[in-house]
């Protein structure tokens, strides 16, 4: 049955703007109403202090195997979210440990589905968790902002379908069968990301242009299109770039899995997996995962409508943040100043700075964990949207780095938005583990100057590692790396479609801004499996000198690079600097460089 409220908390009334969908869901669960998650509220330490714990509001739904009409509730949410690419609906679907039969959970926009066990085997579906592309005529290239985590699946027909594009992580999943990453009909697809998962059968990407898999186990991998990258994956195909384009690292240099909510008996806690070096395989395959747990009472459970001042008060009080599904408008930055703070989102909560503020700033401290939320640029230009460490940050965080995981940034699409630089990493040793930083190429508020955003990700800190870096469509550099000893495992990029002419992207003597630029003064940097695509559909005559720009120094090493002209809409002259053959014609065939220098 739905989780009952615990002492000190009570179910919250539905927000009026969601009345119709909540009524439909209540009808789908007639015996008990809407499932609402609750936790233990800690006693306020002083008058006016904010409480920890509490319920998670109407858009977090908790199921157990006895909950009536689960399928009807799942179908109602999917009906609302299937094509709501820029809508305001946000949902988290949480399943208590147990066995569920006969379910097909179709996952639409801004929907996360998760098991509430400590390991994936605690919550088992004899059924499917499905993403397909019927809403977009079989084209999966816009299946963004959704996730599946911490479940074991026995797919009905032996293979689960997960046909996604960017910002759709698949974490801590065990598939007792195969995994199909393409839509029905094998239409276009542009994903994607798997971590800490085991697929007993084969993974079949089919039409997927690129994919990154980390610290997992697969029974096989069927094919590759342009760029398939593996690090720490048991069963991964052998290194063979560019034919087929497999980049395979035996281990991942540094990783730390994303925090997650789980049930410890009747109590909700957040598990914080420990850092691993030279990792290979899942964290849970040989028993209980290693790490620590925090009770829900150590989190301020934020609801849509709360302001930045309240979030900051909770942080200064020593609480972590659990952001429940919805949209949060900010008039000032959320300031994370305390070491080891956790900011965890459920169901794609979205932070919007309305007045040109930075949405979130993190101090130069150890061990902060940011995970599972979206930042949307507001209509007034923000100098930055996310800052990890202040300018000039210099502390050593090698033993306990900050992690940025499934934190996605968007400029335009949902409405007008502008930002000069979207994500700035100043703190040393930061781990960026799966991000999509996107200047929108479609939706509302889109145009060369309308959603102006010059720079996507700028890295100033030293020893920063990015695993799964997706950055697209910025007016100038998509990634600009200034720190020393940076490393990237997998990079996916498209240059801005909407450049009006050659002059608009001219960079001094260089035609176009590189997708991935390593600053001239950098002496050590390494990257594996890096791809950039162009589609200059406004002016197909545009020429891009290269996708990658790097200093010619012995310590700067890049492996397995490619550039692609999509249908001949614009062309690259080279792959990196003046190295690599040009793209040509309309054949959409990559030009590759196996190693630089």
């Amino acid at each position: 049955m739905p989780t009952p409220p615990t002492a000190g908390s009570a179910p919250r009334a539905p927000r009026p703007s969601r009345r119709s969908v909540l009524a439909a869901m209540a009808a789908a669960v007639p015996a008990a109403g809407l499932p609402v998650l609750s936790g233990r509220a800690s006693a306020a330490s002083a008058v006016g202090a904010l409480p920890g714990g509490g319920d998670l509001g109407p858009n977090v739904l908790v199921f157990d195997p006895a909950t009536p009409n689960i399928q009807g509730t799942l179908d109602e949410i999917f009906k609302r979210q299937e094509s709501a690419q820029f809508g305001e609906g946000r949902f988290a679907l949480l399943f208590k440990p147990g066995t569920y039969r006969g379910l097909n959970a179709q996952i639409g926009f801004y929907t996360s589905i998760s098991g509430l066990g400590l390991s994936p085997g605690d919550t088992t579906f004899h059924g499917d968790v499905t993403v397909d592309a019927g809403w977009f005529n079989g084209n999966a290239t816009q299946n963004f902002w959704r996730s599946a985590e911490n479940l074991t699946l026995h797919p009905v027909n032996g293979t689960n379908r997960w046909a996604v594009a960017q910002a759709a992580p698949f974490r801590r999943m065990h598939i007792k069968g195969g995994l199909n990453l393409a839509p029905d009909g094998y239409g276009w697809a542009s994903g994607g990301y798997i971590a800490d998962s085991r697929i007993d059968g084969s993974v079949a990407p089919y039409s997927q242009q690129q994919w990154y898999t980390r610290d997992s186990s697969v029974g096989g991998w069927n094919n590759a299109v342009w760029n398939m990258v593996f690090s720490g994956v048991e069963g991964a195909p052998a290194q063979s770039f560019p034919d087929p384009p497999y980049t395979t690292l035996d281990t991942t240099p540094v990783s730390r899995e994303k925090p997650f909510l789980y049930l410890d008996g009747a109590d909700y806690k957040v598990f914080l997996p420990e850092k691993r070096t030279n990792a290979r395989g899942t964290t849970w395959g040989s028993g209980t995962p290693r790490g620590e747990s925090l009770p829900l009472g150590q989190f301020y459970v934020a609801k849509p409508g709360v302001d930045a001042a309240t979030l900051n008060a909770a942080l200064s009080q020593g609480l972590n943040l659990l952001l429940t599904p919805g949209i949060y408008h900010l008039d000032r930055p959320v300031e994370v100043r305390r070491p080891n703070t956790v900011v965890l989102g459920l169901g794609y909560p979205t932070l919007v700075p309305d007045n040109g503020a930075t949405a979130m700033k993190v101090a130069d401290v150890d061990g902060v964990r940011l995970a599972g939320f979206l930042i949307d640029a507001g209509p007034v230009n923000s100098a930055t949207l996310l800052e990890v460490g202040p300018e000039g940050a210099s502390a050593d965080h090698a033993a306990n780095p900050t992690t940025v995981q499934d934190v996605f940034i968007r400029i335009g699409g949902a409405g007008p938005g502008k930002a000069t630089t979207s994500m700035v990493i100043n703190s040393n040793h930061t781990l960026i583990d799966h991000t999509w930083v996107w200047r929108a190429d479609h939706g509302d508020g889109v145009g060369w100057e309308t959603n102006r955003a010059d720079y996507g990700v700028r890295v100033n800190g030293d020893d920063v590692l990015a695993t799964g870096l997706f950055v697209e469509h910025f007016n100038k550099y998509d990634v600009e790396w200034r720190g020393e000893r940076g490393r990237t495992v997998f990079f996916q990029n498209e240059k801005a479609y909407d450049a009006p002419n050659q002059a608009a992207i001219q960079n001094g003597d260089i035609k176009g801004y590189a997708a991935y630029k390593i600053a001239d003064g950098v002496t050590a940097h390494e990257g594996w499996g890096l791809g950039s695509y162009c589609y200059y559909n406004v002016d197909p005559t545009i020429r891009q000198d290269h996708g990658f720009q790097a200093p010619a120094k012995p310590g700067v090493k890049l492996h397995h690079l490619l550039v692609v002209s999509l249908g001949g809409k614009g062309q690259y002259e080279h792959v990196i600097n003046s190295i690599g053959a040009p793209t040509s014609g309309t054949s959409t065939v990559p030009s590759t460089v196996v190693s630089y220098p």
Side-chain angles (χ1 to χ4, degrees):
M1 297 299 292
T3 306
T6 58
S9 66
R12 300 206 173 210
R15 300 174 69 82
S17 63
R18 300 187 175 94
R19 183 174 297 147
S20 60
V21 71
L22 293 177
M25 290 177 193
V29 194
L34 184 69
V36 176
L37 173 63
S38 300
R40 298 189 185 279
S42 62
S45 58
V47 175
L50 295 166
D55 75 82
L56 294 186
N59 283 16
V60 175
L61 296 111
V62 181
F63 305 92
D64 68 28
T67 302
N69 196 20
I70 297 174
Q71 188 65 57
T73 304
L74 296 176
D75 290 346
E76 177 61 37
I77 295 170
F78 179 66
K79 180 179 178 181
R80 170 169 174 161
Q81 299 302 114
E82 179 183 12
S83 59
Q85 183 172 178
F86 299 111
E88 295 188 356
R90 305 284 189 274
F91 292 94
L93 312 175
L94 305 181
F95 285 78
K96 291 183 179 182
T99 300
Y100 300 78
R101 298 184 183 276
L103 296 181
N104 180 19
Q106 299 183 82
I107 306 300
F109 285 100
Y110 313 109
T111 304
S112 62
I113 184 169
S114 306
L116 283 170
L118 191 56
S119 293
D122 296 337
T123 308
T124 298
F125 278 24
H126 289 267
D128 296 81
V129 173
T130 302
V131 176
D132 206 343
W135 74 278
F136 201 42
N137 300 315
N139 180 344
T141 60
Q142 293 182 23
N143 282 346
F144 312 137
W145 306 305
R146 64 199 75 198
S147 61
E149 302 184 45
N150 207 26
L151 296 165
T152 291
L153 305 182
H154 294 260
V156 169
N157 69 356
T159 300
N160 191 77
R161 186 185 302 277
W162 187 254
V164 297
Q166 291 83 354
F170 199 77
R171 292 182 180 269
R172 295 176 57 78
M173 296 289 287
H174 187 184
I175 310 301
K176 300 271 192 155
L179 185 63
N180 182 345
L181 303 178
D184 186 30
Y186 306 101
W188 292 344
S190 181
Y193 176 91
I194 294 170
D196 201 23
S197 295
R198 176 183 296 167
I199 295 90
D200 292 346
S202 289
V203 179
Y206 296 119
S207 55
Q208 282 287 353
Q209 296 163 355
Q210 69 280 315
W211 200 276
Y212 175 53
T213 307
R214 178 182 64 70
D215 298 354
S216 294
S217 174
V218 298
W221 194 275
N222 283 13
N223 72 289
V225 177
W226 293 336
N227 190 31
M228 299 288 171
V229 179
F230 309 84
S231 68
V233 178
E234 298 167 345
Q239 171 66 50
S240 58
F241 186 92
D243 186 21
Y246 294 135
T247 295
T248 302
L249 284 68
D250 190 57
T251 62
T252 303
V254 183
S255 59
R256 188 170 68 187
E257 298 304 329
K258 179 184 171 186
F260 61 92
L261 191 71
Y262 77 104
L263 272 171
D264 182 7
D267 296 325
Y268 288 89
K269 296 182 178 180
V270 172
F271 190 77
L272 308 178
E274 71 175 12
K275 188 188 75 163
R276 299 199 292 171
T277 57
N278 299 317
R280 181 173 172 83
T282 68
T283 62
W284 47 268
S286 57
T288 303
R290 296 173 64 89
E292 63 175 319
S293 295
L294 299 178
L296 192 63
Q298 292 184 19
F299 286 79
Y300 175 68
V301 179
K303 311 295 198 304
V306 70
D307 60 13
T310 303
L311 296 174
N312 286 330
L315 289 168
S316 65
Q317 193 177 302
L319 294 171
N320 303 289
L321 296 182
L322 193 67
L323 304 175
T324 66
I327 298 174
Y328 297 74
H329 289 274
L330 307 175
D331 63 352
R332 69 195 71 178
V334 176
E335 302 266 9
V336 181
R337 299 174 178 174
R338 179 172 45 84
N340 302 310
T341 299
V342 180
V343 180
L344 176 62
L346 300 178
Y348 291 92
T350 303
L351 309 180
V352 184
D354 292 320
N355 59 352
T358 298
M360 184 174 291
K361 294 184 177 183
V362 180
D364 192 23
V365 295
D366 272 357
V368 172
R369 304 186 195 221
L370 311 180
F373 57 90
L374 175 65
I375 297 175
D376 235 342
V380 179
N381 185 74
S382 293
T384 58
L385 292 171
L386 173 63
E387 293 181 13
V388 177
E391 185 176 353
S394 59
D396 186 316
H397 304 295
N400 187 14
T402 285
T403 48
V404 181
Q405 299 178 285
D406 301 347
V407 174
F408 307 123
I409 295 179
R410 178 172 65 192
I411 302 93
K418 293 185 178 183
T420 303
T421 306
S422 292
M423 181 186 294
V424 179
I425 307 295
N426 291 316
S427 286
N428 299 330
H429 303 99
T430 299
L431 299 180
I432 308 169
D433 178 45
H434 191 226
T435 189
W436 185 39
V437 182
W438 184 57
R439 175 182 168 265
D441 60 277
H442 62 272
D444 293 332
V446 171
W448 184 249
E449 296 295 343
T450 305
N451 63 328
R452 182 84 193 187
D454 283 350
Y455 307 105
V457 175
R458 178 174 289 157
V459 179
N460 297 317
D462 294 337
D463 301 289
V464 172
L465 171 64
T467 52
L469 184 60
F470 299 73
V471 189
E472 297 188 299
H473 304 308
F474 286 84
N475 296 78
K476 293 185 177 179
Y477 295 123
D478 298 277
V479 172
E480 187 178 15
W481 209 297
R482 298 173 174 179
E484 288 288 355
R485 297 175 301 281
R487 291 175 291 181
T488 295
V489 184
F490 182 87
F491 171 66
Q492 187 267 331
N493 166 263
E494 290 178 356
K495 294 301 301 173
Y497 292 172
D498 55 345
N501 50 51
Q502 188 75 49
I505 63 163
Q506 194 66 21
N507 181 16
D509 296 334
I510 300 172
K511 294 192 288 289
Y513 288 80
Y516 189 105
K517 175 183 167 61
I518 303 166
D520 294 342
V522 170
T523 61
H525 188 96
E526 196 160 11
W528 298 263
L530 315 177
S532 177
Y533 321 148
C534 74
Y535 184 71
Y536 288 117
N537 63 322
V538 175
D539 182 358
T541 69
I542 288 176
R543 310 291 293 192
Q544 177 90 18
D545 262 347
H546 44 235
F548 303 90
Q549 185 177 350
K553 296 178 181 176
V556 176
K557 301 175 183 179
L558 300 175
H559 314 276
H560 311 149
L561 311 174
L562 69 147
V563 295
V564 181
S565 169
L566 302 178
K569 304 293 187 183
Q571 302 289 344
Y572 292 91
E573 304 280 6
H574 304 284
V575 179
I576 179 168
N577 298 349
S578 59
I579 300 168
T583 57
S584 61
T586 60
S587 57
T588 314
V589 174
S591 178
T592 62
V593 168
V594 173
S595 64
Y596 171 86

